[in-house]
Amino acid sequence: MTLRQYLAKHPGADTVSARLAAKVSTNIDPSRPRRAVRGALTLSLAGVQFPVDLRVPQDACLPPPENYVLPDTGSSKASVHHILTSLRKRRTTWIHGPTGSGKDAIVHFVSAACRIPGLYVEFRPESDPSAKIACRSFRNGSTVWEEGEVLRAICDGYEVRDASGNVVDRIPYLILLSDLDRATPEHLELFRPILDSIVGRVPLPNGQIRHVLRGTQFVATANTVGTGEKTIDYVTAQAQDISMLNRFECFYALDYPEWNITAEALRRQFPAILGASPDLLDRLGEFVKALRKEGGRVLKTPFSHRDAVACLNHISDLVEVAGWTAAPGDKKLVFAGLRSWFNRLPPDAVSIALGIANTNMKNVDVPKSLDAFP
């Protein structure tokens, strides 16, 4: 039973103990402002003010990325500021950049932190997103069309209900279209009328049309800008119809954040191993920064946040399972963790990456070959 239901059944009943009420009243400062009205709560993200709607529960938002640090300094600062501005104004936005650069993460973070209802839609060449719009179902011996989760979200919004269960408000969703540059032309035809700049609409299989709730925001993330620039890195990228791309108001590139941003997130995620060997992160940072500066264009192999997490996960496993010791000044642990990343490189790239490490890493025993890795 909610508080409103209780008071409706027992008008005038006490809702707090007299002892607690006395304790609270003696600690209230009359000079301080009273509780803010609904809608007045705001959150500043890199200088952009977002309203926070506490009527939206956390489980209706996109799940927050663990140990996330907003990249609001260094080379990413300008891009992040523009992205946040467009998210705040609910613009239809396309964010592109290399794998593991935090494109989805920043959208998840804003949804969770600001209590914006969110829905994640992933595109793969073999997937069928039409089922998320409407799908066939059997009911009472006959075939019927049922509304999918995307249709309900974009047309109904998040429904705010009163104590009696009546809908008193509808809050527009943020729809994250992940890996949209991997979508096929058939996929995108489903979203062409939905993304219409005048009024979004959803043609249903039964001939009916539903309209998209005003304020619904669509954010696409992709490795490319949708022009079909297939490379060795992104062989599944598709060329997208220019009329579809033109439905997005804003395009932003998001590159890897500065190493200090990544390092802070890693410290939060691996407090034990980095507490025991604090200079381990410095050694890894020396390698990653030099690799991105000197070897990125040659190796064609990124070193993303995911790769750094995988490296430290393996080091943690070696300490926990295999009896290795993490200690200050250790000269071998970092390359033990990097073994998996080096193993995915072609032989000529291994020697290039080891040369970069040998030139830029301090107080570390750099292996001369893959066979010499600890």
Side-chain angles (χ1 to χ4, degrees):
M1 180 181 293
T2 66
L3 179 59
R4 287 184 179 179
Q5 292 170 335
Y6 176 78
L7 289 176
K9 188 174 182 179
H10 306 285
D14 291 334
T15 58
V16 65
S17 70
R19 182 178 179 184
L20 178 59
K23 178 75 172 177
V24 171
S25 62
T26 59
N27 286 287
I28 293 179
D29 182 353
S31 65
R32 297 180 64 183
R34 306 299 293 273
R35 181 174 60 88
V37 297
R38 178 184 293 162
L41 183 62
T42 61
L43 178 65
S44 179
L45 300 177
V48 179
Q49 296 293 326
F50 282 81
V52 179
D53 197 332
L54 296 180
R55 297 176 298 170
V56 180
Q58 194 72 67
D59 59 7
C61 306
L62 294 172
E66 292 185 8
N67 308 297
Y68 183 73
V69 178
L70 186 67
D72 56 356
T73 61
S75 58
S76 300
K77 180 177 181 179
S79 292
V80 167
H81 181 75
H82 285 282
I83 290 169
L84 291 174
T85 300
S86 293
L87 293 179
R88 169 64 182 89
K89 295 301 294 183
R90 305 192 71 82
R91 305 297 183 193
T92 304
T93 303
W94 183 295
I95 306 171
H96 63 97
T99 178
S101 56
K103 303 177 296 295
D104 282 7
I106 191 171
V107 183
H108 277 254
F109 174 71
V110 169
S111 170
C114 303
R115 295 293 182 90
I116 302 171
L119 186 65
Y120 176 86
V121 182
E122 183 181 17
F123 287 84
R124 301 187 306 275
E126 72 280 4
S127 66
D128 180 18
S130 64
K132 295 180 180 290
I133 305 293
C135 59
R136 288 180 179 178
S137 179
F138 291 96
R139 187 184 304 156
N140 299 326
S142 60
T143 302
V144 296
W145 286 99
E146 290 192 349
E147 297 182 349
E149 59 177 348
V150 171
L151 179 65
R152 294 192 298 271
I154 65 179
C155 295
D156 299 332
Y158 176 79
E159 297 177 340
V160 179
R161 298 178 180 270
D162 62 15
S164 301
N166 301 311
V167 177
V168 295
D169 200 1
R170 296 181 185 274
I171 303 174
Y173 264 80
L174 187 164
I175 309 297
L176 174 56
L177 307 173
S178 183
D179 289 331
L180 192 57
D181 61 343
R182 300 178 68 200
T184 66
E186 292 75 20
H187 292 162
L188 289 188
E189 282 304 313
L190 292 169
F191 285 85
R192 182 185 297 276
I194 293 173
L195 293 170
D196 189 89
S197 57
I198 299 175
V199 56
R201 59 196 184 281
V202 188
L204 298 178
N206 59 9
Q208 296 180 348
I209 293 180
R210 294 200 62 189
H211 290 95
V212 176
L213 182 67
R214 287 196 178 277
T216 301
Q217 183 180 26
F218 296 89
V219 179
T221 58
N223 294 129
T224 69
V225 77
T227 52
E229 56 271 37
K230 293 187 180 183
T231 66
I232 191 173
D233 303 308
Y234 310 119
V235 296
T236 58
Q238 304 286 328
Q240 308 300 345
D241 193 307
I242 191 64
S243 66
M244 278 299 301
L245 294 176
N246 201 39
R247 280 165 161 73
F248 287 86
E249 300 173 87
C250 308
F251 287 78
Y252 301 113
L254 187 63
D255 206 343
Y256 295 120
E258 298 288 307
W259 175 253
N260 65 305
I261 297 291
T262 301
E264 177 57 32
L266 294 173
R267 287 190 189 95
R268 296 179 183 182
Q269 188 169 353
F270 298 96
I273 196 71
L274 295 178
S277 183
D279 49 350
L280 179 63
L281 201 55
D282 295 331
R283 304 293 81 79
L284 181 61
E286 290 168 355
F287 174 64
V288 174
K289 287 186 288 186
L291 184 70
R292 290 177 179 173
K293 180 180 178 181
E294 302 178 22
R297 287 176 292 181
V298 178
L299 297 177
K300 296 294 183 183
T301 302
F303 197 100
S304 68
H305 179 78
R306 295 190 191 104
D307 295 310
V309 170
C311 173
L312 291 176
N313 269 332
H314 186 54
I315 292 174
S316 299
D317 294 345
L318 291 172
V319 171
E320 180 181 347
V321 178
W324 289 49
T325 301
D330 188 282
K331 296 184 178 183
K332 294 184 178 180
L333 268 182
V334 65
F335 275 98
L338 286 170
R339 170 183 278 270
S340 175
W341 184 84
F342 271 87
N343 268 309
R344 84 188 208 200
L345 299 179
D348 57 337
V350 171
S351 59
I352 294 173
L354 286 175
I356 292 172
N358 192 54
T359 303
N360 293 277
M361 298 180 74
K362 305 172 184 176
N363 301 317
V364 176
D365 294 335
V366 178
K368 297 186 181 301
S369 68
L370 199 54
D371 293 335
F373 268 56

